[in-house]
Amino acid sequence: MKCRRCKDKGKTEKAIIFLPHHNLSLCKDCFLAWYEKRLDETIKKMDMITKKDKIMVAVSGGKDSLALWYALTRLGYEADGLYINLGIDERNYSSTSGEKAEILSKRLNRPLYVIEVKKQFGKGIPDLNKLTKQPACSICGLIKRYFINKVALENGYTCVATGHNLDDEVATLFSITLSWDIDSLIRQLPILPEKEGFVRKVKPLIGFTEKENLLYCLLQRIDYIREECPLSTGVKTIFYKNLLNRVEQKSPGTKLRFYFNFQKKLHPLLPGQIIPPLHSCSICGQPTTSYDICAFCRFKQRVKHSLQT
Ligand code: SF4
Ligand code: ZN
């Protein structure tokens, strides 16, 4: 198979990938150019960020967020990293993913902020799960949301970019649709605008599949953690992703249509988001919808209490 872009220019370069959902075969150079151009176009078309923004990329050490950090930097955006070490020791998951984030930080010559869950709580996510009986992923989400916002605000970042890809967003949208959870549907946007005490959050990779991000990493020689989080086994999203991959195989382009037609056709018909009034947490000062203390500080108290009993 020949590269379509090269063929159009009268050259004959062998394609390294065929993207059925775009009906496009590309060689190495054309894939890299296509990926970065498409990323920049998505950012500009959706008004996500500009070159004036000071961007914090939330990196996990995985292919998506590292590809995003690297590509944003290549496109001339000012982007630094934040890595949250979840304290998952199984198969050295956290230490290895942290190393990958550090390696890219050095290569890009951009700072990497590191938050260690063990330093905050004296325990990593698996032990916090055992102690509090709260699901590991819900603890992880709470901690990540809290520190991403806090570190970005305290250090003057105007925007946080996360590595959510098309497969992630489609699986989430599918799951929400199955239960017609309207409140969650309203929040399913690639941009969460800045509001008092909350930094703007954007998902620039929504137009890219996991495979495309993986190939970008391989071609740019970005070292990423190959293993999935050991706590992800049995997570429903993985089941939905596999299901949707089968649909995509039969009918290429389904994921792109499902996600972008939702944004274009259905989301505008939904009622606007009702934002409850915000208060400052009486312990940490971060914004919260509760009148007294925020969910993070409540969780911290719960951990402390569980350790004393
Ligand atoms: Fe966090 Fe792992 Fe759960 Fe993902 S799978 S939310 S990284 S604990
Ligand atoms: Zn608080």
Side-chain angles (χ1 to χ4, degrees):
M1 206 191 323
K2 300 279 177 253
C3 169
R4 253 273 299 282
R5 293 277 159 95
C6 283
K7 211 168 133 197
D8 290 348
K9 291 178 206 151
K11 292 190 274 175
T12 50
E13 199 66 48
K14 217 174 147 196
I16 57 155
I17 190 167
F18 174 60
L19 307 171
H21 45 294
H22 296 295
N23 192 21
L24 193 60
S25 48
L26 296 167
C27 67
K28 179 187 168 191
D29 290 348
C30 289
F31 173 80
L32 290 174
W34 170 85
Y35 183 97
E36 289 170 4
K37 187 166 175 256
R38 186 171 160 80
L39 175 61
D40 210 22
E41 280 171 359
T42 308
I43 289 170
K44 286 181 177 141
K45 209 165 123 194
M46 296 201 168
D47 224 356
M48 287 185 174
I49 40 180
T50 69
K51 299 268 162 80
K52 285 188 187 144
D53 272 304
K54 197 177 165 203
I55 307 156
M56 171 165 279
V57 184
V59 290
S60 64
K63 59 189 182 324
D64 303 296
S65 52
L66 294 184
L68 175 63
W69 193 9
Y70 189 86
L72 283 178
T73 309
R74 268 183 60 89
L75 288 167
Y77 291 95
E78 194 192 331
D80 300 333
L82 166 67
Y83 171 72
I84 300 178
N85 185 318
L86 303 171
I88 300 173
D89 297 328
E90 193 179 333
R91 300 199 295 271
N92 295 326
Y93 178 75
S94 286
S95 55
T96 311
S97 50
E99 273 164 32
K100 308 296 180 195
E102 296 277 1
I103 291 170
L104 191 61
S105 157
K106 288 203 181 88
R107 182 169 162 193
L108 295 174
N109 200 18
R110 304 282 330 180
L112 176 73
Y113 296 81
V114 179
I115 294 286
E116 305 219 10
V117 171
K118 279 190 184 173
K119 275 196 190 152
Q120 298 290 329
F121 293 94
K123 288 179 184 303
I125 299 279
D127 288 333
L128 290 171
N129 159 247
K130 279 183 207 140
L131 188 74
T132 63
K133 309 280 182 276
Q134 201 169 314
C137 294
S138 113
I139 301 172
C140 179
L142 172 76
I143 293 175
K144 279 183 190 164
R145 278 193 301 277
Y146 182 81
F147 282 111
I148 284 174
N149 195 59
K150 190 173 191 285
V151 175
L153 279 182
E154 285 177 357
N155 293 282
Y157 289 86
T158 54
C159 177
V160 169
T162 57
H164 294 90
N165 59 43
L166 180 68
D167 298 87
D168 298 326
E169 294 303 282
V170 168
T172 306
L173 184 58
F174 182 68
S175 151
I176 294 170
T177 307
L178 287 180
S179 57
W180 290 118
D181 177 351
I182 302 294
D183 286 344
S184 300
L185 278 178
I186 293 170
R187 287 194 301 270
Q188 281 314 298
L189 287 168
I191 307 171
L192 288 178
E194 173 189 351
K195 52 182 187 264
E196 217 188 320
F198 287 106
V199 75
R200 177 173 14 122
K201 296 190 185 77
V202 296
K203 299 174 181 174
L205 293 185
I206 35 135
F208 295 96
T209 62
E210 278 179 5
K211 275 189 196 154
E212 287 156 3
N213 295 334
L214 171 72
L215 184 60
Y216 184 78
C217 281
L218 294 175
L219 297 179
Q220 296 289 25
R221 300 182 187 284
I222 298 167
D223 194 8
Y224 64 93
I225 183 156
R226 262 75 173 163
E227 299 207 8
E228 293 293 336
C229 169
L231 307 181
S232 69
T233 40
V235 169
K236 237 187 195 159
T237 321
I238 296 178
F239 170 71
Y240 290 141
K241 278 187 181 176
N242 291 335
L243 201 68
L244 290 157
N245 281 343
R246 287 172 59 192
V247 178
E248 180 72 20
Q249 225 174 9
K250 285 258 180 222
S251 173
T254 302
K255 289 183 194 174
L256 281 170
R257 281 192 299 277
F258 183 57
Y259 182 75
F260 285 99
N261 282 345
F262 164 75
Q263 297 295 349
K264 204 169 121 195
K265 297 180 181 176
L266 192 91
H267 198 275
L269 303 178
L270 296 172
Q273 196 179 348
I274 300 161
I275 304 164
L278 295 171
H279 312 273
S280 279
C281 168
S282 56
I283 297 177
C284 71
Q286 286 290 296
T288 173
T289 51
S290 355
Y291 282 93
D292 189 7
I293 59 172
C294 72
F296 176 85
C297 289
R298 261 203 316 275
F299 179 72
K300 235 180 163 173
Q301 285 184 342
R302 196 170 153 196
V303 171
K304 207 171 150 193
H305 180 76
S306 304
L307 284 171
Q308 283 161 355
T309 51

PDB file of all heavy atoms in Angstrom, residues 40-59:
ATOM      1  N   ASP A  40      -3.390  20.591  15.929  1.00  0.00           N
ATOM      2  CA  ASP A  40      -3.433  22.057  15.941  1.00  0.00           C
ATOM      3  C   ASP A  40      -4.789  22.566  15.441  1.00  0.00           C
ATOM      4  O   ASP A  40      -5.349  23.523  15.987  1.00  0.00           O
ATOM      5  CB  ASP A  40      -2.291  22.607  15.067  1.00  0.00           C
ATOM      6  CG  ASP A  40      -1.813  23.962  15.572  1.00  0.00           C
ATOM      7  OD1 ASP A  40      -2.035  24.264  16.764  1.00  0.00           O
ATOM      8  OD2 ASP A  40      -1.239  24.719  14.788  1.00  0.00           O
ATOM      9  N   GLU A  41      -5.312  21.899  14.408  1.00  0.00           N
ATOM     10  CA  GLU A  41      -6.614  22.316  13.858  1.00  0.00           C
ATOM     11  C   GLU A  41      -7.731  22.120  14.887  1.00  0.00           C
ATOM     12  O   GLU A  41      -8.609  22.962  15.027  1.00  0.00           O
ATOM     13  CB  GLU A  41      -6.931  21.514  12.596  1.00  0.00           C
ATOM     14  CG  GLU A  41      -6.212  22.052  11.376  1.00  0.00           C
ATOM     15  CD  GLU A  41      -6.335  21.146  10.149  1.00  0.00           C
ATOM     16  OE1 GLU A  41      -6.976  20.063  10.244  1.00  0.00           O
ATOM     17  OE2 GLU A  41      -5.771  21.506   9.116  1.00  0.00           O
ATOM     18  N   THR A  42      -7.689  20.996  15.598  1.00  0.00           N
ATOM     19  CA  THR A  42      -8.713  20.718  16.626  1.00  0.00           C
ATOM     20  C   THR A  42      -8.667  21.804  17.699  1.00  0.00           C
ATOM     21  O   THR A  42      -9.688  22.344  18.105  1.00  0.00           O
ATOM     22  CB  THR A  42      -8.453  19.336  17.286  1.00  0.00           C
ATOM     23  OG1 THR A  42      -8.325  18.368  16.269  1.00  0.00           O
ATOM     24  CG2 THR A  42      -9.553  18.938  18.257  1.00  0.00           C
ATOM     25  N   ILE A  43      -7.450  22.111  18.152  1.00  0.00           N
ATOM     26  CA  ILE A  43      -7.262  23.121  19.201  1.00  0.00           C
ATOM     27  C   ILE A  43      -7.826  24.476  18.750  1.00  0.00           C
ATOM     28  O   ILE A  43      -8.553  25.130  19.489  1.00  0.00           O
ATOM     29  CB  ILE A  43      -5.753  23.245  19.541  1.00  0.00           C
ATOM     30  CG1 ILE A  43      -5.285  21.999  20.297  1.00  0.00           C
ATOM     31  CG2 ILE A  43      -5.470  24.517  20.346  1.00  0.00           C
ATOM     32  CD1 ILE A  43      -3.794  21.898  20.476  1.00  0.00           C
ATOM     33  N   LYS A  44      -7.505  24.844  17.509  1.00  0.00           N
ATOM     34  CA  LYS A  44      -7.933  26.161  17.010  1.00  0.00           C
ATOM     35  C   LYS A  44      -9.427  26.190  16.720  1.00  0.00           C
ATOM     36  O   LYS A  44     -10.110  27.136  17.093  1.00  0.00           O
ATOM     37  CB  LYS A  44      -7.127  26.535  15.766  1.00  0.00           C
ATOM     38  CG  LYS A  44      -5.705  26.923  16.148  1.00  0.00           C
ATOM     39  CD  LYS A  44      -4.884  27.322  14.955  1.00  0.00           C
ATOM     40  CE  LYS A  44      -3.496  27.770  15.424  1.00  0.00           C
ATOM     41  NZ  LYS A  44      -2.450  27.327  14.539  1.00  0.00           N
ATOM     42  N   LYS A  45      -9.936  25.129  16.088  1.00  0.00           N
ATOM     43  CA  LYS A  45     -11.357  25.084  15.718  1.00  0.00           C
ATOM     44  C   LYS A  45     -12.232  25.139  16.964  1.00  0.00           C
ATOM     45  O   LYS A  45     -13.270  25.783  16.979  1.00  0.00           O
ATOM     46  CB  LYS A  45     -11.623  23.786  14.948  1.00  0.00           C
ATOM     47  CG  LYS A  45     -12.757  23.905  13.966  1.00  0.00           C
ATOM     48  CD  LYS A  45     -12.734  22.734  13.007  1.00  0.00           C
ATOM     49  CE  LYS A  45     -14.055  21.996  13.063  1.00  0.00           C
ATOM     50  NZ  LYS A  45     -14.006  20.696  12.432  1.00  0.00           N
ATOM     51  N   MET A  46     -11.799  24.472  18.012  1.00  0.00           N
ATOM     52  CA  MET A  46     -12.621  24.429  19.227  1.00  0.00           C
ATOM     53  C   MET A  46     -12.247  25.525  20.219  1.00  0.00           C
ATOM     54  O   MET A  46     -12.785  25.562  21.320  1.00  0.00           O
ATOM     55  CB  MET A  46     -12.491  23.065  19.893  1.00  0.00           C
ATOM     56  CG  MET A  46     -13.016  21.956  19.035  1.00  0.00           C
ATOM     57  SD  MET A  46     -13.397  20.546  20.002  1.00  0.00           S
ATOM     58  CE  MET A  46     -14.302  19.571  18.867  1.00  0.00           C
ATOM     59  N   ASP A  47     -11.277  26.331  19.851  1.00  0.00           N
ATOM     60  CA  ASP A  47     -10.891  27.432  20.725  1.00  0.00           C
ATOM     61  C   ASP A  47     -10.441  26.922  22.101  1.00  0.00           C
ATOM     62  O   ASP A  47     -10.879  27.438  23.134  1.00  0.00           O
ATOM     63  CB  ASP A  47     -12.125  28.338  20.903  1.00  0.00           C
ATOM     64  CG  ASP A  47     -11.734  29.790  20.781  1.00  0.00           C
ATOM     65  OD1 ASP A  47     -10.530  30.033  20.642  1.00  0.00           O
ATOM     66  OD2 ASP A  47     -12.632  30.645  20.854  1.00  0.00           O
ATOM     67  N   MET A  48      -9.593  25.923  22.097  1.00  0.00           N
ATOM     68  CA  MET A  48      -9.190  25.299  23.366  1.00  0.00           C
ATOM     69  C   MET A  48      -8.121  26.119  24.081  1.00  0.00           C
ATOM     70  O   MET A  48      -8.259  26.465  25.245  1.00  0.00           O
ATOM     71  CB  MET A  48      -8.639  23.895  23.117  1.00  0.00           C
ATOM     72  CG  MET A  48      -9.683  22.874  22.765  1.00  0.00           C
ATOM     73  SD  MET A  48      -8.934  21.248  22.637  1.00  0.00           S
ATOM     74  CE  MET A  48     -10.394  20.264  22.405  1.00  0.00           C
ATOM     75  N   ILE A  49      -7.042  26.385  23.345  1.00  0.00           N
ATOM     76  CA  ILE A  49      -5.911  27.116  23.922  1.00  0.00           C
ATOM     77  C   ILE A  49      -5.282  28.000  22.849  1.00  0.00           C
ATOM     78  O   ILE A  49      -5.502  27.774  21.665  1.00  0.00           O
ATOM     79  CB  ILE A  49      -4.818  26.152  24.488  1.00  0.00           C
ATOM     80  CG1 ILE A  49      -4.609  24.949  23.555  1.00  0.00           C
ATOM     81  CG2 ILE A  49      -5.095  25.733  25.897  1.00  0.00           C
ATOM     82  CD1 ILE A  49      -3.576  23.950  24.006  1.00  0.00           C
ATOM     83  N   THR A  50      -4.476  28.944  23.296  1.00  0.00           N
ATOM     84  CA  THR A  50      -3.735  29.747  22.322  1.00  0.00           C
ATOM     85  C   THR A  50      -2.251  29.718  22.747  1.00  0.00           C
ATOM     86  O   THR A  50      -1.918  29.212  23.827  1.00  0.00           O
ATOM     87  CB  THR A  50      -4.197  31.220  22.307  1.00  0.00           C
ATOM     88  OG1 THR A  50      -3.790  31.824  23.534  1.00  0.00           O
ATOM     89  CG2 THR A  50      -5.684  31.342  22.132  1.00  0.00           C
ATOM     90  N   LYS A  51      -1.420  30.295  21.918  1.00  0.00           N
ATOM     91  CA  LYS A  51       0.019  30.315  22.223  1.00  0.00           C
ATOM     92  C   LYS A  51       0.314  31.199  23.434  1.00  0.00           C
ATOM     93  O   LYS A  51       1.403  31.159  23.982  1.00  0.00           O
ATOM     94  CB  LYS A  51       0.814  30.789  20.999  1.00  0.00           C
ATOM     95  CG  LYS A  51       0.645  29.890  19.760  1.00  0.00           C
ATOM     96  CD  LYS A  51       1.699  28.808  19.692  1.00  0.00           C
ATOM     97  CE  LYS A  51       1.360  27.660  18.773  1.00  0.00           C
ATOM     98  NZ  LYS A  51       1.564  27.816  17.376  1.00  0.00           N
ATOM     99  N   LYS A  52      -0.689  32.009  23.843  1.00  0.00           N
ATOM    100  CA  LYS A  52      -0.476  32.874  25.011  1.00  0.00           C
ATOM    101  C   LYS A  52      -0.739  32.125  26.306  1.00  0.00           C
ATOM    102  O   LYS A  52      -0.386  32.580  27.396  1.00  0.00           O
ATOM    103  CB  LYS A  52      -1.413  34.079  24.931  1.00  0.00           C
ATOM    104  CG  LYS A  52      -0.972  35.094  23.921  1.00  0.00           C
ATOM    105  CD  LYS A  52      -1.828  36.334  24.019  1.00  0.00           C
ATOM    106  CE  LYS A  52      -1.477  37.278  22.884  1.00  0.00           C
ATOM    107  NZ  LYS A  52      -2.610  37.978  22.381  1.00  0.00           N
ATOM    108  N   ASP A  53      -1.397  30.974  26.222  1.00  0.00           N
ATOM    109  CA  ASP A  53      -1.724  30.215  27.436  1.00  0.00           C
ATOM    110  C   ASP A  53      -0.485  29.585  28.057  1.00  0.00           C
ATOM    111  O   ASP A  53       0.458  29.197  27.362  1.00  0.00           O
ATOM    112  CB  ASP A  53      -2.712  29.090  27.093  1.00  0.00           C
ATOM    113  CG  ASP A  53      -4.150  29.554  27.165  1.00  0.00           C
ATOM    114  OD1 ASP A  53      -4.547  30.058  28.232  1.00  0.00           O
ATOM    115  OD2 ASP A  53      -4.864  29.424  26.154  1.00  0.00           O
ATOM    116  N   LYS A  54      -0.535  29.474  29.392  1.00  0.00           N
ATOM    117  CA  LYS A  54       0.493  28.719  30.113  1.00  0.00           C
ATOM    118  C   LYS A  54      -0.201  27.399  30.459  1.00  0.00           C
ATOM    119  O   LYS A  54      -1.137  27.383  31.275  1.00  0.00           O
ATOM    120  CB  LYS A  54       0.888  29.499  31.375  1.00  0.00           C
ATOM    121  CG  LYS A  54       2.189  29.038  31.978  1.00  0.00           C
ATOM    122  CD  LYS A  54       2.567  29.878  33.177  1.00  0.00           C
ATOM    123  CE  LYS A  54       3.652  29.173  33.965  1.00  0.00           C
ATOM    124  NZ  LYS A  54       3.739  29.550  35.331  1.00  0.00           N
ATOM    125  N   ILE A  55       0.204  26.341  29.782  1.00  0.00           N
ATOM    126  CA  ILE A  55      -0.542  25.079  29.857  1.00  0.00           C
ATOM    127  C   ILE A  55       0.131  24.076  30.789  1.00  0.00           C
ATOM    128  O   ILE A  55       1.349  23.891  30.755  1.00  0.00           O
ATOM    129  CB  ILE A  55      -0.656  24.445  28.444  1.00  0.00           C
ATOM    130  CG1 ILE A  55      -1.232  25.463  27.460  1.00  0.00           C
ATOM    131  CG2 ILE A  55      -1.492  23.169  28.460  1.00  0.00           C
ATOM    132  CD1 ILE A  55      -0.865  25.203  26.028  1.00  0.00           C
ATOM    133  N   MET A  56      -0.690  23.401  31.591  1.00  0.00           N
ATOM    134  CA  MET A  56      -0.174  22.285  32.392  1.00  0.00           C
ATOM    135  C   MET A  56      -0.767  21.003  31.819  1.00  0.00           C
ATOM    136  O   MET A  56      -1.987  20.885  31.709  1.00  0.00           O
ATOM    137  CB  MET A  56      -0.586  22.466  33.850  1.00  0.00           C
ATOM    138  CG  MET A  56      -0.278  21.239  34.670  1.00  0.00           C
ATOM    139  SD  MET A  56      -0.355  21.611  36.414  1.00  0.00           S
ATOM    140  CE  MET A  56       1.244  22.327  36.617  1.00  0.00           C
ATOM    141  N   VAL A  57       0.110  20.075  31.414  1.00  0.00           N
ATOM    142  CA  VAL A  57      -0.380  18.807  30.878  1.00  0.00           C
ATOM    143  C   VAL A  57      -0.347  17.781  32.017  1.00  0.00           C
ATOM    144  O   VAL A  57       0.693  17.576  32.648  1.00  0.00           O
ATOM    145  CB  VAL A  57       0.495  18.311  29.696  1.00  0.00           C
ATOM    146  CG1 VAL A  57      -0.088  17.041  29.095  1.00  0.00           C
ATOM    147  CG2 VAL A  57       0.610  19.386  28.624  1.00  0.00           C
ATOM    148  N   ALA A  58      -1.495  17.180  32.291  1.00  0.00           N
ATOM    149  CA  ALA A  58      -1.549  16.155  33.326  1.00  0.00           C
ATOM    150  C   ALA A  58      -1.038  14.859  32.712  1.00  0.00           C
ATOM    151  O   ALA A  58      -1.708  14.270  31.861  1.00  0.00           O
ATOM    152  CB  ALA A  58      -2.989  15.997  33.816  1.00  0.00           C
ATOM    153  N   VAL A  59       0.174  14.439  33.102  1.00  0.00           N
ATOM    154  CA  VAL A  59       0.765  13.251  32.474  1.00  0.00           C
ATOM    155  C   VAL A  59       0.732  12.056  33.422  1.00  0.00           C
ATOM    156  O   VAL A  59       0.990  12.178  34.619  1.00  0.00           O
ATOM    157  CB  VAL A  59       2.223  13.501  31.981  1.00  0.00           C
ATOM    158  CG1 VAL A  59       2.239  14.427  30.789  1.00  0.00           C
ATOM    159  CG2 VAL A  59       3.113  14.055  33.071  1.00  0.00           C
TER     160      VAL A  59
END
